[in-house]
Amino acid sequence: MSLPLTFTAPRRGKPPRHLADLSPEEAAEAVAALGEPAFRARQLGTHYFRHLEADPATMTDLPASSRDRMAEALLPPLLSPVRALTADQGATVKTLWRLHDGVKVESVLMRYPDRATLCVSSQAGCGMACPFCATGQQGLTRNLSAGEIVEQVRQAARALDRGEVAGGPGRLTNLVFMGMGEPLANYKAVLAAVRRFVQPPPDGFGVSARNVTVSTVGLVPAIDKLAGEGLPVTLALSLHAPDDDLRGELVPINTRWSVDEALDAARRYFETTKRRVSIEYALIRDMNDHAWRADLLARKLNDRGRGWVHVNPIPLNPTPGSIWTASDPAVEAEFVARLRMAGIPTTIRDTRGSDIDGACGQLAAEEAS
Ligand code: SAH
């Protein structure tokens, strides 16, 4: 007897169109195409971006038939929560989301006394294959749409606004593209999402572009393109080694764009945007944490000018099965001291949420449940 073939893998495909995928002009056109007056696009945008609402039942200023039609066409549910884990007395929340095709991604909300930062995913999986990063081990499943990125933001902003996060009602102030994926490999959707984040309601959430950080392995043409967008977002370059031999191993795309080429692009980014660039450096014991590498890094940065860059070392978060571990604290201190002695502003990045696998490089959604 043959088994019926009832099992089919989830279809990995394009998510439905969403208001958050659209520019204000496109949103007006989409609403008009539904037979609604164009001004309804602004009403819908006010609900979504200002009130953080996607439930048509709450949109009582709209005629019932219009709001159902518009919500069905422009506010399809894109993310459903699978699980939320908290750490740091509730100040860190990691959410695992299921997308329309069953693919899973994560985002992490980190609340501090003076700000609340959301770390978003820009892709399901990642194609960059950095060996120390959990997402890098999965390979790329697919790009997220702008709507799927923006929905991570709206849901976090809503939870904060409604007082659902420890510490009472608050606002989402910062956005970092440091979740799953390489944001500059999904350029169009990431840029559209950033525009929705920064434009004021009803076209976006109205958060300062200065509070957005795009982190990249160093896709040089995309860095140059980003510099020309007229958006003063912060660029973070995942360097992790100042020499091509080692960086080629840690960040494989280095064989395409070398350390010097990536640093030159970072410097150009600063010149165009006047935004100080961050250099990310995961400190891996006996791998990249040598004093001479701190000195070489400082030299390469200083060769390109002063005051344009700062370094964010982060102790490696060991991923399951990894042979690597974080640097010894004394070695880390020496590495930082050498950079500072050379005049490079350097701050160790904190590792919020490491106990819920919510810290950098640990975002690896489990197999389909
Ligand atoms: N693709 C982007 C975003 C990745 S996540 C990029 O590479 O920049 C953001 C940062 O976390 C990157 O600097 C990445 O190299 C770093 N990271 C990844 N895995 C890590 C780990 N296990 N420990 C510490 N940092 C890690």
Side-chain angles (χ1 to χ4, degrees), residues 150-164:
V150 172
E151 267 290 284
Q152 295 170 58
V153 176
R154 183 189 66 90
Q155 303 240 17
R158 188 179 193 283
L160 275 167
D161 181 76
R162 309 296 197 261
E164 291 163 15

Side-chain angles (χ1 to χ4, degrees), residues 92-284:
T92 303
V93 185
K94 178 179 84 161
T95 310
L96 176 66
W97 304 103
R98 184 186 291 108
L99 310 181
H100 80 105
D101 52 358
V103 168
K104 289 175 189 157
V105 297
E106 295 180 329
S107 49
V108 184
L109 177 61
M110 291 157 284
R111 195 161 192 192
Y112 301 88
D114 58 336
R115 65 188 196 280
T117 301
L118 185 69
C119 178
V120 289
S121 294
S122 56
Q123 299 181 311
C126 185
M128 296 299 128
C130 303
F132 57 91
C133 172
T135 311
Q137 307 317 296
Q138 298 175 22
L140 177 65
T141 301
R142 70 165 170 87
N143 281 333
L144 300 195
S145 66
E148 287 169 327
I149 299 169
V150 172
E151 267 290 284
Q152 295 170 58
V153 176
R154 183 189 66 90
Q155 303 240 17
R158 188 179 193 283
L160 275 167
D161 181 76
R162 309 296 197 261
E164 291 163 15
V165 180
R171 282 176 51 81
L172 185 66
T173 58
N174 293 66
L175 181 63
V176 299
F177 283 88
M178 294 187 183
M180 303 169 103
E182 165 52 42
L184 294 187
N186 184 16
Y187 190 90
K188 217 171 149 228
V190 164
L191 253 285
V194 170
R195 289 193 196 285
R196 299 285 72 74
F197 192 65
V198 304
Q199 288 185 359
D203 302 329
F205 300 110
V207 177
S208 167
R210 292 167 189 281
N211 295 351
V212 177
T213 300
V214 174
S215 178
T216 179
V217 289
L219 306 183
V220 165
I223 293 173
D224 286 329
K225 193 168 174 204
L226 185 65
E229 298 283 355
L231 277 169
V233 301
T234 298
L235 178 76
L237 173 64
S238 297
L239 198 68
H240 304 311
D243 52 306
D244 288 319
D245 274 355
L246 179 56
R247 192 167 188 261
E249 220 177 294
L250 296 178
V251 185
I253 200 72
N254 194 74
T255 53
R256 180 69 185 80
W257 291 287
S258 66
V259 169
D260 284 332
E261 287 168 326
L263 289 176
D264 286 344
R267 170 71 205 189
R268 288 194 296 276
Y269 188 86
F270 167 77
E271 277 161 21
T272 309
T273 63
K274 300 292 177 272
R275 299 291 299 154
R276 200 166 72 156
V277 171
S278 290
I279 301 292
E280 291 163 282
Y281 202 106
L283 282 166
I284 312 174

Side-chain angles (χ1 to χ4, degrees), residues 294-368:
D295 296 342
L296 179 60
L297 173 59
R299 193 162 75 242
K300 290 202 166 191
L301 298 179
N302 282 332
D303 278 352
R304 289 169 171 83
R306 297 279 168 161
W308 69 281
V309 70
H310 64 117
V311 176
N312 261 176
I314 174 163
L316 181 84
N317 280 305
T319 58
S322 166
I323 49 168
W324 294 324
T325 181
S327 299
D328 186 85
V331 172
E332 174 185 301
E334 174 70 8
F335 196 90
V336 170
R338 282 183 175 258
L339 289 169
R340 289 191 180 143
M341 236 138 48
I344 307 286
T346 304
T347 33
I348 298 268
R349 202 161 75 210
D350 87 328
T351 53
R352 279 271 192 116
S354 50
D355 48 341
I356 51 170
D357 291 350
C360 301
Q362 292 187 335
L363 300 183
E366 291 97 284
E367 290 306 299

